[in-house]
């Protein structure tokens, strides 16, 4: 989505929309966001295939964090590049690890490229882990701001057990603890795994991230912290 | 966990437990399940490293579904093998795709093996996608029983858009729709993506899967369906 | 509803129904239950007004538990009386206290009767409290099975602080703790109020009561407890 | 609580507190709010009994909205009166209807007063309904801002069916629709009951009211609406 939106627009829709009708109109629904097909699969294919080709010419094997940077670098000429997280990740040399890289439209484009006469193009997911292990075993102070749950939450806290745990952790989620899921698990659970340090400062915010995060950012701005 | 539990036991604990104390005792907490360290990381390392070595001798590159089968095959001599889903997946040649293979204790063991003089051992996640594309483009009838959300939910419905959508879908989840997440999205949303066929029979069960699934299985047994 | 359903039927509908259309058809929606107007307000008026008249002739002032019994007694000739909780409450002399008696269709009928030349008909809600205080100060063993939250949950646990707290408490609810509401409060909170005894056996079941309660009853039947 | 807090303080505590310990210390817990006994039952008894006596001397029968005003009037000399909603209700002659008046600490004090030689003191809950019917049958434009669910939500929307439904409705709640409860019911359900007008402007905000309401008020202030 980060990429699709620098090329095309998404729209504000409704949860109650008739999805059979939307489909006829060529519109995908994500919650209350409407995404025309032309703003998603079609534009991604048109833009990503040549971009992968260009990367492929330079490197045959990449970790996902390297792939993210290579894409970010190639957004330099895009008019709306400054709205892209991927672009800024490259610009600031921020590591972005994607443990589930093959999922979704991006993963599909990746596979589409690979099976089309580029079978020696290799996404080496273990190389990501190698980089994570190097970063974490340096025992630097670490903090995590985690929106939602799933694999990105788990992968983040997982690696921190190999230093002495996260020093700061803020979870913002609507998932709840009672079903025993990792998505709803509170910071204290991670202490039993040494994924969060027992002296860490933590907060568990049960709220839609689209409400909580802007509030937090506004507060930091007001206090001139950012 | 599927593997750890054929070798060691987990225990019934409590959500309210003091996680600092648990950590001192060498116990991990997952919701209200207590897992002694000796039943998890330690046993996994002891068992998985030789197992990977044995696989490595035969193949240097595997998709995740192939890796799952190779492990299942090597559980043949385990006393509690029949409690393992991985074992049955191999036995019945059921495909198990793991889009986030590097996450968690299993992924860690995989990385640990790879970085320890086996850097030519390659988990080819795009080969999984290749197999998925072959399976789905056959336009067979498909159904999905999805427990929870996250990447496994999305990856399952994603690929079904390339046939004419799932013909049956049952979601069992505690995640809710209002935050716009995929985890809480109802089956109707997937219709706008053609991931579920507009004529499909679907159900969205908002309930802890550990309550709902046994009920469903009991009902099927009573009706002699399974 | 307990009364309306012994006289008329309700139907299984859908959450997604178009409520403007339903309204045109004279159908009320309660979640996924459809209630024709003729099965609700109209039948309640037709049946309750003469019933109140009959009670009024005998008593001019009643507590809500007395009102419930008087109604139960007058259901004796109804064909479907055995499906009514109110009927069984009278039959077994079980106290039913209704702290919010004026709410809803029943309360409306009560007001309608009162304003129509029966202004000396008095529902004495403090007399209910008197009875509760007598019952609770006997220090009998008490247990509560609480479905959902709201005023009925609070009123139940409230009075138990005047003995030494509930000895048993099972909450079945979908409400959650994080917002600080009483509806989502766990049994342990009530211990700080002495509403539940600190030695009490308690359980907090986070599940739709229409799933959890039948399971519990089935289990008790299987064990021949009921 | 509105009353207790003008006389005494409440404190910010924690959900995870040990409630047995709190009880020993004489502290009640409400979510993450700590309330010393001296700030609740004890002060309420000391203040409310003479206050009821003073009201009793003037009137022997009151609707709940009249009782609220009589109390508000008697807060005139309290130093922190301006923090009390009850005080402002009286000052501005705003009707406050309390369909569950006998519940909780206030109801307990009311009963305590009544049984102690004031059995002719009558809270006439049907008189409240009379006032509601007069107000609603005037067919004025009505709007409702509803925090949470329960009896106050239902009573509010219920009476609006006797005009042509609410013209505006904003629900702020953490309760969810799927269990079929009224607390989680969306505005559209009320349209099938004519409790909300089909042309009404409505919003359903799924968020902790302590987050959403301040945001809404801040926004109105910024736009100089209030």
């Amino acid at each position: 989505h980060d990429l699709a939106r620098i090329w095309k627009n998404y729209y504000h829709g409704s949860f109650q929309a008739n999805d059979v009708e939307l489909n006829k109109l060529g519109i995908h629904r994500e919650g209350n966001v409407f995404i025309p097909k032309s703003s998603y699969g079609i534009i991604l294919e048109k833009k990503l295939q040549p971009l992968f080709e260009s990367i492929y010419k330079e490197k045959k094997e990449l970790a996902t964090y390297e792939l993210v940077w290579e894409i970010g670098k190639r957004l330099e000429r895009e008019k709306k590049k400054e709205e892209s997280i991927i672009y800024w990740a490259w610009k600031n040399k921020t590591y972005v690890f994607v443990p589930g890289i093959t999922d979704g439209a991006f993963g599909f484009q990746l596979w589409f490229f690979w099976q089309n006469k580029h079978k020696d193009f290799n996404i080496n997911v273990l190389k990501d882990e190698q980089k994570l292990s190097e970063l974490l075993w340096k025992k630097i102070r670490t903090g995590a701001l985690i929106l939602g749950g799933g694999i990105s939450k788990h992968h983040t806290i997982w690696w921190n057990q190999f230093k002495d745990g996260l020093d700061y952790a803020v979870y913002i989620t609507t998932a709840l603890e009672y079903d025993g899921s990792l998505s709803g698990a509170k910071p204290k659970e991670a202490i039993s795994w040494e994924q969060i340090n027992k002296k860490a400062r933590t907060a568990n915010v049960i709220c839609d991230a689209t409400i909580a995060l802007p509030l937090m950012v506004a507060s930091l701005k007001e206090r001139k912290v950012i």
Side-chain angles (χ1 to χ4, degrees), chain A:
Chain A
H1 302 301
D2 181 74
L3 292 169
R5 295 191 63 180
I6 64 174
W7 296 312
K8 292 282 184 176
N9 294 319
Y10 285 14
Y11 300 92
H12 188 188
S14 156
F15 282 97
Q16 273 75 44
N18 180 324
D19 293 284
V20 174
E21 289 303 313
L22 283 182
N23 178 247
K24 277 188 204 155
L25 298 168
I27 293 172
H28 301 313
R29 183 171 69 82
E30 276 198 348
N32 58 351
V33 177
F34 285 174
I35 307 174
K37 280 187 189 182
S38 58
S39 298
Y40 196 61
I42 294 166
I43 188 72
L44 285 178
E45 180 164 336
K46 193 178 139 196
K47 296 281 188 178
L48 282 179
Q49 293 302 319
L51 205 151
F52 288 148
E53 187 70 48
S54 144
I55 295 170
Y56 175 77
K57 278 179 194 152
E58 294 181 18
K59 293 187 189 178
K60 297 280 176 290
E61 180 172 284
L62 303 93
T64 69
Y65 75 89
E66 294 171 317
L67 180 60
V68 168
W69 284 353
E70 290 297 331
I71 293 169
K73 194 198 307 184
R74 283 162 177 81
L75 298 178
E76 190 62 80
R77 291 190 193 163
E78 296 293 338
K79 210 167 60 184
K80 292 167 76 182
K81 67 185 175 190
E82 303 208 337
E83 295 179 19
S84 163
I85 294 175
I86 291 176
Y87 173 73
W88 287 111
W90 168 66
K91 204 73 178 172
N92 297 326
K93 287 284 173 286
T94 307
Y95 291 101
V96 176
F97 299 97
V98 189
I101 190 77
T102 56
D103 191 33
F106 183 88
F108 177 77
Q109 291 300 328
L110 206 53
W111 163 79
F112 190 69
F113 178 76
W114 173 82
Q115 56 84 46
N116 184 24
K117 302 176 195 159
H118 303 88
K119 291 219 173 167
D120 57 340
F121 188 55
N122 189 31
I123 303 302
N124 188 338
V125 288
L126 291 169
K127 201 175 164 191
D128 281 292
E129 307 305 295
Q130 183 64 24
K131 178 56 73 181
L132 276 163
S133 78
E134 288 166 21
L135 291 172
L136 270 303
W137 273 329
K138 284 184 192 159
K139 307 252 175 195
I140 46 171
R141 290 186 78 72
T142 52
L145 170 63
I146 298 179
L147 311 184
I151 191 174
S152 33
K153 176 178 181 180
H154 189 250
H155 214 61
T156 303
I157 63 175
W158 173 265
W159 272 102
N160 276 279
Q161 72 187 280
F162 300 107
K163 63 183 286 276
D164 47 359
L166 281 160
D167 301 292
Y168 306 94
V170 176
Y171 294 178
I172 305 180
T173 184
T174 57
L176 293 148
E177 184 186 33
Y178 73 92
D179 58 8
S181 67
L182 186 274
S183 293
K186 294 180 182 169
K188 73 189 268 292
E189 179 173 306
I191 291 174
S192 80
W193 292 85
E194 291 167 43
Q195 292 161 350
I196 294 183
N197 192 288
K198 66 185 172 193
K199 292 178 185 164
R201 298 187 61 187
T202 67
N204 194 43
V205 182
I206 301 180
C207 188
D208 190 325
T210 62
I211 296 175
L213 194 60
L215 266 182
M216 288 163 63
V217 172
S219 160
L220 292 172
K221 282 198 166 177
E222 195 176 287
R223 290 188 256 162
K224 314 267 184 210
V225 182
I226 57 171

